[in-house]
């Protein structure tokens, strides 16, 4: 079991507290289990029934992350089980110490590389699933549950908030931002005209004509496992050849990260949940990206470009083609950019917005330990903000 307090003393909750840990009997499931021990068939069934899509918590993806990805291995799982022992809720977690080196009794959603940690809740039993996940966190000894990068207005967060309200508790948003999303139910070309305007589209067409001097420009989508494996290697080379390679953060530069993405992409391609998109000028790949699919939502994971063609805006050209591709697919109704706040490339193209944030969920009423955890996280965020501002000033 994860040492959630990292050997810190854990203050016992009052026996009169209605949200104190329940008395457990021998037939109760363990509150925390290794992520790799979760039965994959049940996990896949839960994913198909999830109240809110999250491509980064699909089993092939997060299991590959937890197995080898740099700094993300060894996650545990909070599980919600029905009376018939069916998996109805799942949240990968790590200790607060593991997440941020704070030795207090809290659990934190495990970061799955993509910036989305909304838990999987069965849509037919979402309230029961949310209740049981919170109970499992209490049974594990946690005083708070911290969800990183959760969709603040998403169905999963709404279910958790409703259960907390019933128990006299309220989540606290630690930080938040809005990021770009795509309404894929619209006509792609009409959406692009509205988002970019005539002048920008004309400039992109001019750049594409210039690209054609290097050979016919083609947009390709790799879907089959073999095609995805081959296209992934092209993406990895492009990413490593750009600014991420210069910073040392490209996936292929770290053995564990390279193993994770190769394993995850191949496994998800088997079920049609991973595509590699690419743009070529003749035989030369100039941009490529990884797209995950979960139910009716797509997730734009990463983008790599050949910087020798930077003057032709290859990343924008690829994203424009991806927009048309997703809007033409009746199975997809929306796409999450999984991009940072105010992303300069995708924000002008995908004009939808939704709120993402870090949320602290107290697990007991009137809990001094929860207040201490909240104060520690507020202080950490303030220190990080000061450091970011100082770095910005130094770079000016």
């Amino acid at each position: 079991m994860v040492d959630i307090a990292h050997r810190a003393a854990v203050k016992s909750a009052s026996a009169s507290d209605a949200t104190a840990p329940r008395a457990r009997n021998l037939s109760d499931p363990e509150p925390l289990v290794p992520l790799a021990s979760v039965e994959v068939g049940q996990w896949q069934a839960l994913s198909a029934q999830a109240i809110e899509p999250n491509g980064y918590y699909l089993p092939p993806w997060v299991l590959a992350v937890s197995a080898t990805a740099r700094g993300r291995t060894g996650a545990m799982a909070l599980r919600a089980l029905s009376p018939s022992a069916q998996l109805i809720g799942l949240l990968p977690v790590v200790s607060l110490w593991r997440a941020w080196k704070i030795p207090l009794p809290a659990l934190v959603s495990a970061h799955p590389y993509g910036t989305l940690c909304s838990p999987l809740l069965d849509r037919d039993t979402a309230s029961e699933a949310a209740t049981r996940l919170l109970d499992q966190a209490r049974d594990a000894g946690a005083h708070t549950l911290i969800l990183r990068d959760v969709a603040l207005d998403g169905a999963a967060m709404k279910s958790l908030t409703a259960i907390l309200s019933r128990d006299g508790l309220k989540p606290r948003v630690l930080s938040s931002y809005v990021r770009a999303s795509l309404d894929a139910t619209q006509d792609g070309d009409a959406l692009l005209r509205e988002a970019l305007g005539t002048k920008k589209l004309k400039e992109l067409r001019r750049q594409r004509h210039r690209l054609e001097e290097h050979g016919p420009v083609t947009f390709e989508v790799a879907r089959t496992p073999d095609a995805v494996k081959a296209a992934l290697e092209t993406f990895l080379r492009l990413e490593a050849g750009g600014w991420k390679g210069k910073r040392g953060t490209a996936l292929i530069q770290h053995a564990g990260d390279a193993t994770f993405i190769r394993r995850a992409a191949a496994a998800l391609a088997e079920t049609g949940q991973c595509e590699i998109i690419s743009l070529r000028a003749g035989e030369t790949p100039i941009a490529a990206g990884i797209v995950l699919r979960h139910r009716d939502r797509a997730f734009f994971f990463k983008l790599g470009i050949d910087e020798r063609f930077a003057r032709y805006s290859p990343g924008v050209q690829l994203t424009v083609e991806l927009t048309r591709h997703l809007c033409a697919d009746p199975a997809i109704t929306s796409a999450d950019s999984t991009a940072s706040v105010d992303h300069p490339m995708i924000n002008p193209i995908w004009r939808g917005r939704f709120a993402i944030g870090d949320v602290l969920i107290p697990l007991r009423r009137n809990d001094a330990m929860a207040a201490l955890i909240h104060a520690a996280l507020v202080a950490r965020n303030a220190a990080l903000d000061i450091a970011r501002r100082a770095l910005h000033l130094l770079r000016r």
Side-chain angles (χ1 to χ4, degrees):
M1 182 182 293
V2 171
D3 180 4
I4 62 170
H6 195 67
R7 300 186 176 89
V10 178
K11 181 179 179 180
S12 297
S14 167
S16 63
D17 188 344
T19 56
R22 301 164 299 140
R24 296 180 66 249
N25 59 51
L26 294 178
S27 63
D28 286 340
E30 283 295 317
L32 280 173
V33 298
L35 193 63
S37 72
V38 178
E39 205 280 311
V40 172
Q42 287 207 21
W43 191 345
Q44 289 172 331
L46 170 61
S47 298
Q49 278 279 111
I51 194 172
E52 180 181 346
N54 185 351
Y56 301 114
Y57 276 169
L58 289 169
W61 183 272
V62 74
L63 285 172
V65 170
S66 186
T68 68
R70 183 170 45 112
R72 293 174 167 87
T73 58
M76 304 292 281
L78 285 175
R79 299 168 300 159
L81 301 180
S82 71
S84 61
Q86 293 300 304
L87 186 67
I88 58 173
L90 180 78
L91 178 65
V93 293
V94 295
S95 68
L96 184 57
W97 174 261
R98 171 75 184 276
W100 292 313
K101 297 296 185 288
I102 298 175
L104 294 173
L107 290 169
V108 183
S109 56
H111 212 277
Y113 232 112
T115 51
L116 186 65
C117 297
S118 298
L120 299 179
L121 302 177
D122 179 86
R123 65 173 177 259
D124 293 332
T125 57
S127 294
E128 179 185 355
T131 298
R132 291 179 183 272
L133 279 184
L134 297 178
D135 283 342
Q136 291 294 81
R138 293 182 188 107
D139 289 348
H143 284 244
T144 67
L145 178 62
I146 299 146
L147 300 180
R148 295 187 279 188
D149 291 320
V150 65
L152 295 179
D153 298 320
M157 193 65 229
K158 287 179 179 178
S159 295
L160 288 165
T161 300
I163 297 304
L164 291 169
S165 178
R166 182 197 66 187
D167 292 336
L169 297 167
K170 186 177 181 179
R172 306 185 73 165
V173 177
L174 300 168
S175 62
S176 65
Y177 69 98
V178 294
R179 74 177 178 216
S181 63
L182 171 69
D183 177 1
T185 64
Q186 299 186 54
D187 175 77
D189 287 318
L191 185 148
L192 290 167
R193 283 194 300 272
E194 182 179 350
L196 296 174
T198 304
K199 183 177 179 181
K200 180 61 177 179
L201 286 173
K202 183 177 180 180
E203 172 63 14
L204 288 172
R205 285 194 295 270
R206 185 192 68 80
Q207 292 174 334
R208 186 171 179 125
H209 290 322
R210 293 291 306 278
L211 266 176
E212 289 172 347
E213 296 173 6
H214 301 271
V217 176
T218 55
F219 172 69
E220 300 174 358
V221 181
R223 294 186 180 90
T224 67
D226 286 344
V228 165
K229 288 178 185 178
L232 177 63
E233 297 306 315
T234 298
F235 164 83
L236 291 172
R237 288 193 297 271
L238 287 171
E239 185 191 41
W243 64 268
K244 291 179 185 176
K246 293 171 185 173
R247 288 190 180 182
T249 60
L251 288 168
I252 203 170
Q253 291 177 301
H254 303 275
D257 288 350
T259 298
F260 132 66
I261 194 60
R262 286 172 174 141
R263 173 183 167 186
L268 287 171
E270 294 281 353
T271 55
Q273 292 176 304
C274 179
E275 297 176 340
I276 309 294
I277 56 170
S278 59
L279 198 69
R280 291 178 178 270
E283 295 300 314
T284 305
I286 62 170
I290 301 174
V291 179
L292 305 187
R293 300 164 70 104
H294 183 199
R295 294 183 55 194
D296 63 347
R297 191 170 301 169
F299 300 83
F300 195 2
F301 174 54
K302 276 184 177 291
L303 170 70
I305 67 168
D306 186 332
E307 294 194 353
R308 296 175 300 172
F309 294 86
R311 69 175 71 103
Y312 308 117
S313 304
V316 175
Q317 301 279 1
L318 181 68
T319 303
V320 165
E321 292 296 339
L322 174 62
T323 302
R324 294 189 177 107
H325 168 63
L326 294 176
C327 287
D329 188 340
I332 297 296
T333 62
S334 66
D336 181 351
S337 68
T338 61
S340 58
V341 60
D342 296 328
H343 194 280
M345 188 278 289
I346 204 163
N347 274 33
I349 306 172
W350 290 7
R351 292 299 183 92
R353 298 289 182 268
F354 71 106
I356 290 287
D358 294 350
V359 178
L360 181 143
I361 295 175
L363 297 173
R364 300 169 176 84
R365 291 193 297 271
N366 304 316
D367 185 6
M369 180 63 74
L372 178 61
I373 293 167
H374 180 257
L377 292 172
V378 169
R380 174 187 176 275
N381 286 348
L384 287 174
D385 187 53
I386 291 171
R388 281 192 292 264
R389 292 184 183 186
L391 183 60
H392 177 70
L393 289 173
L394 289 172
R395 286 178 172 176
R396 292 178 62 180

